[in-house]
């Protein structure tokens, strides 16, 4: 997949706005940052907390439902869509990446592959966790600190490790 010239232009404008108006805003101005993201095409409900140090690659590929929090230092590398449901916590320095490269292409040019990430309601992505492209987190999933997840989860599953493995299911 090739990145269009228009997409590159939007990224440049977004980076200027990010470094001048978003990143250095006071930490309590969550609505202000949501407003800026909406100007750039993000679909964000009310009652969303986004900290100023959150890095977002392309706001137009981001959907966030109410009650969700993106903590300090979270990296949303969304060359493809990332859809966040209701009441999700993405803890500090977690990384959501919706793209990769086709490493076994012939000739080896490493073309870009994009796969959306879907995080359903009531999930918690703990500190420093990595969620890879094409992953869907089922309702109530917990991804432990520093875990690396490349597969879909089961409802209310708790995953830890690298690669992340199901260790148990939460009781209701």
């Amino acid at each position: 997949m090739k990145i269009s010239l228009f997409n590159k232009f939007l990224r440049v404008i977004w980076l200027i706005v990010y470094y001048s108006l978003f990143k250095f805003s006071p930490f309590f101005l969550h609505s202000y940052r949501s407003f800026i993201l909406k100007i750039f095409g993000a679909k964000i409900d009310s009652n969303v907390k986004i900290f100023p140090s959150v890095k977002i690659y392309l706001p137009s590929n981001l959907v966030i439902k109410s009650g969700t929090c993106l903590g300090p230092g979270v990296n949303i590398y969304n060359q493809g869509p990332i859809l966040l449901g209701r009441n999700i916590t993405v803890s500090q320095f977690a990384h959501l990446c919706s793209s990769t490269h086709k490493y076994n292409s012939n000739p080896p040019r490493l073309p870009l592959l994009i796969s959306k990430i879907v995080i359903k309601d009531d999930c918690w992505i703990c500190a420093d966790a990595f969620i890879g492209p094409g992953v869907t987190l089922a309702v109530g999933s917990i991804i432990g600190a520093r875990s690396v997840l490349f597969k879909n989860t089961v409802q209310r599953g708790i995953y830890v490790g690298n690669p992340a493995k199901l260790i148990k299911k939460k009781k209701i």
Side-chain angles (χ1 to χ4, degrees):
M1 174 175 204
K2 244 181 154 170
I3 305 295
S4 71
L5 190 59
F6 180 71
N7 187 294
K8 290 177 183 177
F9 174 73
L10 273 179
R11 284 270 308 131
V12 169
I13 299 301
W14 165 241
L15 286 173
I16 291 167
V17 169
Y18 174 78
Y19 284 108
S20 61
L21 299 174
F22 188 98
K23 183 175 178 148
F24 298 108
S25 60
F27 79 94
F28 56 86
L29 292 181
H30 302 293
S31 296
Y32 166 76
R33 286 183 290 279
S34 291
F35 175 73
I36 291 173
L37 289 167
K38 286 177 187 178
I39 290 172
F40 281 86
K43 293 170 184 69
I44 301 175
D45 287 354
S46 60
N47 192 30
V48 169
K49 290 187 166 94
I50 300 171
F51 282 76
S53 57
V54 170
K55 290 186 245 169
I56 299 169
Y57 180 82
L58 190 61
S60 61
N61 282 339
L62 186 61
V63 175
I64 305 175
K65 300 292 182 185
S66 67
T68 292
C69 176
L70 301 179
V74 167
N75 190 357
I76 305 291
Y77 191 61
N78 60 337
Q79 288 183 304
I82 294 182
L83 314 171
L84 302 170
R86 291 179 187 356
N87 304 317
I88 294 169
T89 299
V90 183
S91 295
Q92 63 274 16
F93 306 111
H95 189 122
L96 283 62
C97 177
S98 65
S99 60
T100 186
H101 294 277
K102 187 174 181 182
Y103 62 88
N104 59 356
S105 64
N106 195 7
R109 292 198 177 135
L110 300 176
L112 183 65
L113 296 175
I114 291 175
S115 274
K116 76 177 172 182
I117 294 173
V118 177
I119 301 173
K120 299 197 176 172
D121 299 347
D122 304 314
C123 290
W124 178 19
I125 300 169
C126 297
D128 241 354
F130 178 89
I131 309 297
V135 172
T136 297
L137 269 66
V139 173
S141 295
I142 297 175
I143 312 305
R146 296 235 164 163
S147 294
V148 177
L149 184 70
F150 285 101
K151 298 192 181 208
N152 296 343
T153 64
V154 298
Q155 196 169 12
R156 293 184 311 281
I158 300 172
Y159 292 78
V160 297
N162 180 4
K165 291 186 176 25
L166 176 67
I167 57 165
K168 66 180 178 179
K169 288 179 83 174
K170 287 189 307 186
K171 294 183 180 174
I172 298 176

